[in-house]
Structure formats: structure tokens, C-alpha cells
Amino acid sequence: MTRLLTRRLVAIPVTLLAVSVLVFLATEVLPGDVARTVLGREASDASVADLRRSLGLDEALPVRYAHWLARFVHGDWGTSYTLKVPVRELVLGRLGNSLLLAAFAFLLLVPIALGLGLLAGLHHDKPTDRVISVVGLALGATPEFVTGVILLVVFAVQLKWFPASAQANPGAGLLVRLDHLVLPAVSLVLLCTGYVARHVRASTVAAVESPYVRAAELRGASRSQVVRRHVLRNSTVPATSALGVQAQFLIGGLVAVELLFNYPGVGALLLQSAIDKDLPTLQAAAVVLGLLYMLIMLLVDVTYRLLDPRLRREVPA
Amino acid sequence: MADHAHPFTPSRRGFLAGAGLTGLSLLAAACSSGTPPSSGSSEATAPAGAAKRGGTLRVGTPAPPTSLDPVTMYDGSAIGIVQLVADYLIWLDPDFTLVPRLAQSWSAGPGNKVWTFVIRKGVVFSDGTPLDAKAVKASFDRLLDPKAKSAALSAFDGILAAGGVSLRGEDTVVFTLERAFSDFPYLVSAGNYNAVILKSDYAGNFAKNPIGTGAFLLKSYNASTGATLVRNPKHWETAKPYLDGVQVKFYADSQAEQIALQSGDLDALIITDPSVILATGDVVLDKVSGTAMTAFTLRVDKAPFDKKEVRQAIAYALDRPGVNQSIDNNIGQLGNDHLFAPLFKAAPTGIAQRTQDADKVKQLLSSAGVDKLSFTLTFDPPSKSYALVIQDQLKQVGIDVKLDQRSSSEFYGGDQAKDTPWLFTDANLVGWAGRAVPSQFLGPMVTSKGVWNGSKYANPALDAALTAYDAGSSEDVRKKQAEIIATALHEDVPVILSIWNGSVRAYNKTKFTGIKAHPSTYVDFSSVSRV
């Protein structure tokens, strides 16, 4: 475990450095000019050239990268080229929103997906299993903006049970913010449940058919005891990695849901800053998301080892 | 408690509570009188019937792509928010009547080259500083300073230069122009949207120091989420605004914005796409004619468009009512391949409307010696629907159009003197925001030295007629010159104008009244009140 943590903690900054270089280079080859975006097409070429100079865009690429990196590692994330607000404030604010939505969706997703997966696995090849599997697959294959629109039309426009916007007014309390997040969270749960439940189902089926479960049954353990003591723990271990993948998606990959439910998350910020070539914002958002992704992967691996004693004894590859 | 106000159903009643609103009061309303372009005055303040005071209007709008800066802003959302907080010398009504605001009156000297504006007395900025002529002069000096990088500089190009603004006493500002320009009041009105009057010491960062003379105060601004505005108690129109405040929410997706309006989360939209919005339930649409358009520009200096007949053939191939139906929900007005929108007073009426004529297309292409016409049309995403309609309509007469969509940043990027796609591709679609006067289209787009002359059209007779039009002091003179210009453009077709876009503003009719559409999507909520 210590070796795993050491190796990962060394790999993280190296990977982030590589991410920042790649994003910087990729931005260079994108068409467009952020100075023109800021001033609009009706500004004169002279004004645009002047702004480019003041933003340092006329410097050589390695020089610009070195300047950015030196400032970033010293905690100066810079100012957004387009919005002229501090990047740290902008990115962390959006990230906080994304984390809140992700956490809320995750809290709904885990018990539902685990429960349905377990139920399907315990009734494999029976109607319950087939219904859960087919509905889960269908919902997983339906884009979130489709289920999102349906949820909005039914629950926001027609029934008016929930607000259409996931964005609460400034200063709103946590309960109000969560109320606004119900519909987007549900659309995400509908999308992700089938994927996680399939993993749980497969491992549940394997566990049910395993020798240790049969041995427990032969010893006279009740069905609920067998499920609780032997099946549940073994079937949730493989689901950990599936949940880790979903957690990564829920934090940074929600552009469609953020747009549809008008939620200012970090996914839409990343997209817009890439379109605008707002490099300070794009770099910071990419690095922060990269860091989060890697921390989630680390957490998944650690959890895996804690849940499965066999892995703790193995020498990491 | 929930901060969204919508009707409750039994199952939600235990969880949510509605937002409370304020009490009622009746008050007299002020109204302004329009003035002709060459002189103006306004003293009228009369009761306008019962208006319910109070309430907060919740409006949706796309997030501004840049910071909130009145000097450099160019998008409808930033302009709308600034217009709530700051004011102009003159407001532009939806029918393009000039309405005195911070200018009490104005007049032109002989020849329309020197213009004098008398500043309204008793107006104070929101920080308590009295408005004076110095602040007005400073505001225009700022716009004319290249260092400020304002797009307004292009509107004043060749008309008003730095140093052209002077003071005469404490309440009079004199503009000395580079050439006679009879529409000059429009250039210092809301029609030139950057021309809001700011304090003399304004140094940027308007979101943090939002000092203006407008009907509302900007209480908070978040570039990601929106803005909160409250009533300006020091507003010079003492009875207005009727609202307690305005809550602006930013939307990155127009579909989400419309659902929010239909669900009751929003009361109105600042910018409404007429091609997709529908009046349904409590949501209604206010519609007005406009001067915004998408120019279908053809390079007259390059084959195959160097032949006038080819350009005319394309113009005759278009089904303009069909374009209006497809991309503007039939609220636009038909264009006639010149740059005088029907809303402009000098718009010529004697030129026959060009209509779809397949035989004429064949005849024109034949006389140009073109057997098979094929070309590439370049555009950015906002013009995609129009590009598809053009491709389809031209295909019906055997003209092959290849579509070349670029991102907006690429389309408008590059050097305007040599390679930017919107000015240098053979055929392209460029969306133009509405203009208050035709010269703001004609000068840059089709004169020999026009800075945005994408067609590369050059016609000395048109240049001379435009100069005469701008200088003309009587409507007769101006109409005559307008006829010359419009006829030349209609005949030579450097730019095809299928339709002039209408403008729509969607709102919930059960909650607020007085919400009006504006040709340029401008925002004046000072007369909005609760139903």
C-alpha cells in the first residue's frame, strides 16, 4: 500500500505537467484569436494587436508557457483573458458547483445501482434480472440531454414540482441548492445506473455460484445471512472501479447536463475557455480536473485493496 | 425555502414555499416625446395610467462572452445589463424615434457639421455626483481614444475624431464633425451602444464600480451566473422604475432558457431567437421589425462573381418568403438587395421587389457564359440555418453550393486587411446587428474605402451619393440620394439581402406588463410593472 501511494504521488505532478504542456500546445493549433474575441469583430486591427501585446500573446510559445508555469506553481493562476476575473476564483467556484452536483448524484446512484445490481444478480436469468438489465441498458444508451428534456418538460413545465434551472439564486442555502439539483441528478442517475448495476450483477452471479457461498448454504446459513455476509462484500468490490469511472465523469464530463439545466459547472467552463482560447482559465481547469481524476483513481485503488485482502498481499505490478 | 416561484401541487406543498412579493401602490408614469434627427427636446412627464410598483423581474440571457465593460462591450447581454445601469444622451425607440434622455435638447449648425447638445439638469450619478457636460465630453473622448479599444471608434470613423468634442459652459457639449452628417444624433444615441455616459474618472471594471445614471443599480455581478439589480432611488425620472429590481440569469443554452420561461422560473428573455420560440401558455411574444440581417456577400473581384449577371442570377434564385419562414419565423421583412431596411426613413419605395424567377436565372447565367455554377459558401454557426436554406434553394435551379462552416473565432479571426475569412472568402454569410442609420451599413460595407467591404465592391457614384446623403439636410435630398445608392446596389448585387430580421421578446403575460421587443434587443425596463 505504501509503495502504491508513493508511486502515485510521484506520478501525479509529472502527469499534470504533461497535461499542461499538451493543453498549451493544443490551444496554439486551434483557430481563432482571443484578442478578437474580447474586442469583437468591429474593433480595429490596431486595437486587437495592442491587446495581444498587453496579454503577452506576441511572445514565443516556450516563453509564454514558462511564464504561466512559474506563476501557477507560485499560486498565481492569473486573470481570465475574456472575463477579466481571477482564474482561481472562477475555476474553484465552478468546480465547487460540479462537486456538489456530482456528490448529490453519487449519493443517489450508489444505493440504487448497488441494490438493482444485487437484485438482478440474485435473480439472474429471471424476469426481474431481465427487466433491470434491459431498462438499465436502454437508459444508459439514452443521452442525458434526452432524458433531461423529458424530466424538465414533465416535472418542471407541466407538474412544476422542481425548478427548471439547477442554479439557485445567490445566497441560497444548501437545501434550496439541492432542490434545484434534483432533476439533473436524476438524469445522471438514469444514465449511470445501468453501467454500475451490470458490474454488480455480474459479480453477484459469480459470488452466488462460488464454492464459499455453497459451503455457507450447506452449513445451514439463511439466505439473508449468505447475502449479507458473503455475497454483498464480494459483489461490491468490482463495482468500486465502475463507480470510480462514473465519479470522474460526474465531476468534469457533464457539459450537456450543465447546459440543459443551466448549471455553472467546470465542464462547461472548460469547453468555453477552449473555444475562446482563454488559456489561463483552460490551463487551470484542465490541471485541477486532471488532479481530481488522478486522486479519484488513487482512492479507487486504495478502496479496492481495503475491500479485497488478497490485493494487499500482492506486490503491485 | 425555494427561491423559485411557481404554483404548487399537493405533493410538493410540504417541501416548498413560494416567494412573497410586495404590496401595491399607484403612481403616475412619465413619458417621453420623440424628436426629429436634427433637433430635439423633452419636458413631457405625464401620468400613464395605473402601474403597480414593486416586484422583481427575472430575466434570462446568454452569458456575456467578455467582461462587463460599457466601452468595449458588443454582445446583447452585456449591452442589456449596462443599459439598465447607465443611460445615453438619447434613447432609440423601437420605431427608431430619438427620445431625449440625458440630453435635454440638441441642434445642428448650418451644414450639419457642428452639433450642440444641452445636458439635462438635475441628473446625478448613482454615487451622488451631478451629471455635467464634462462627464459627457469625457465619455466621448474615451470612445474616440484608440487606447480604449472601443468598437464605437468604427462608428465615428471619418465623422468625429479625437479632439472634436468641446464644452460650452457647464451644461452644453459641442461636437465638431470631420464632415457633414445629418444623422449624427443617432451616433450619440443608444444606436451606438457603447455611447453610455459614464463618470469622467471611469477607469474600467464596471462590474465592481457600476456607477451610472440608469434606472437600476447593479448590486452584484457574477460572470458565470448573472446579475442582481435594484431600483435606483436617485433616478432622474423620479417616478420610474416601477420595479424593485431585476434578476438576470445567464444561460448557455437557448433551449434551457425557454424551458425556464415556460416553467415559470423566468419572467422574460432579453434575447429571443425568433426561429425557435413559440408563444405557448402564459408565454407571449412582442415582435418588432428590425434592421439586423445576414449579408450574403459575393466577391465582385473574383470569378465567378466578377460577372454581374452571375450575382443577379443567385439573387433571383432565392425564395425570400421561404427564407423568412425558415429562419425568422415569418417576422422578418423582405430584403431587396440594398442596404436600406424598411424601418429607415429614407428607404426607397420605387424599386421593384426582387422575387424568385428560375427562367431569369437561366437567362442570366447563359448571358454570363456560365454552364454550371458551383461555389463554396463560408459561414459561422449562427448562419448555419440560412446556409442550408440557400444551398437547398439554389440546388433547385441547378446551382451547386458547397458549405464551409467555420467556428466563429476562426471566421472572424485573422487580419482584416488581408486574410480574415469573413472579408476575404469568395462567398460568405455575415450576421450584422441592427444599425440605427443606413450609413452605418453602407459606409463600411460597400463604399470603396469601407473597412468591412467583403465584396470588394467599388463604385465612385455610390460613394458620392452616400456623402451627399450624409450631408443632406432635407428628407427630399436624402431620399433622392438613397434612391441612387439603393438602385446601384440592387443592380450590381455585391450583397444579397433576403430578409431584414425581426426582433422578438418573450415574456410571461400573467406577471409583468410593459416588456417590449426592440429591433436591436436593447433593454429598457423602466416602464415595466406588475400585472
Side-chain angles (χ1 to χ4, degrees), chain A residues 37 41-42 161 169 176 180, chain B residues 1 3 12 74 416 435:
Chain A
T37 301
R41 74 169 197 229
E42 297 187 9
W161 286 3
N169 281 345
V176 173
H180 281 256
Chain B
M1 290 295 102
D3 61 340
R12 288 288 289 170
Y74 61 85
Q416 293 191 351
R435 298 293 199 265

Side-chain angles (χ1 to χ4, degrees), chain A residues 32 36-38 40-42 45 50 82-83 94 160-162 164-165 167 169 176 179-180 259-260 262, chain B residues 1 3-4 6 9 11-12 66-67 74 149 224-225 249-252 256 263 265 412 415-416 431-432 435:
Chain A
R36 177 61 69 185
T37 301
V38 170
R41 74 169 197 229
E42 297 187 9
D45 279 341
D50 192 35
T82 54
L83 301 176
R94 293 290 198 103
K160 299 189 187 294
W161 286 3
F162 296 99
S165 168
Q167 183 193 136
N169 281 345
V176 173
D179 181 53
H180 281 256
L259 295 180
L260 185 61
N262 195 39
Chain B
M1 290 295 102
D3 61 340
H4 52 279
H6 50 58
T9 58
S11 58
R12 288 288 289 170
T66 60
S67 64
Y74 61 85
K149 304 181 186 69
S224 297
T225 57
K249 281 190 176 184
F250 294 152
Y251 283 76
S263 73
D265 277 12
Y412 293 112
D415 191 329
Q416 293 191 351
W432 290 87
R435 298 293 199 265

Side-chain angles (χ1 to χ4, degrees), chain B residues 116-319:
Chain B
T116 305
F117 286 73
V118 178
I119 308 306
R120 187 178 297 280
K121 290 186 176 67
V123 179
V124 293
F125 285 99
S126 48
D127 67 346
T129 307
L131 171 75
D132 58 14
K134 283 180 189 167
V136 175
K137 178 181 183 304
S139 294
F140 286 96
D141 285 344
R142 192 180 298 115
L143 296 179
L144 293 165
D145 180 357
K147 286 181 188 163
K149 304 181 186 69
S150 176
L153 203 55
S154 63
F156 290 124
D157 187 34
I159 299 167
L160 177 66
V165 191
S166 57
L167 300 175
R168 187 185 297 159
E170 287 204 348
D171 64 350
T172 303
V173 180
V174 178
F175 295 86
T176 305
L177 310 187
E178 293 183 289
R179 62 183 171 96
F181 199 83
S182 53
D183 277 334
F184 183 70
Y186 284 97
L187 297 190
V188 296
S189 76
N192 187 2
Y193 47 76
N194 296 110
V196 288
I197 305 304
L198 303 170
K199 282 186 67 180
S200 301
D201 59 356
Y202 174 74
N205 208 345
F206 190 75
K208 286 205 171 170
N209 303 297
I211 299 170
T213 59
F216 296 91
L217 307 176
L218 184 62
K219 196 176 158 194
S220 68
Y221 182 82
N222 183 310
S224 297
T225 57
T228 303
L229 300 105
V230 296
R231 183 175 191 275
N232 179 6
K234 296 173 186 164
H235 189 228
W236 60 273
E237 284 185 289
T238 52
K240 290 182 177 179
Y242 305 132
L243 295 169
D244 286 338
V246 179
Q247 184 73 46
V248 181
K249 281 190 176 184
F250 294 152
Y251 283 76
D253 182 76
S254 61
Q255 186 184 25
E257 199 181 25
Q258 287 177 36
I259 288 174
L261 180 65
Q262 287 168 1
S263 73
D265 277 12
L266 294 176
D267 304 315
L269 307 182
I270 287 182
I271 299 167
T272 306
D273 182 347
S275 67
V276 293
I277 191 79
L278 290 173
T280 171
D282 295 333
V283 174
V284 293
L285 308 177
D286 189 46
K287 304 173 186 176
V288 292
S289 300
T291 62
M293 48 84 178
T294 299
F296 181 1
T297 307
L298 305 169
R299 283 283 297 267
V300 302
D301 60 337
K302 292 183 78 175
F305 306 119
D306 54 345
K307 290 178 175 149
K308 185 170 75 176
E309 292 81 2
V310 173
R311 305 194 297 269
Q312 288 177 339
I314 296 171
Y316 277 111
L318 290 174
D319 168 22

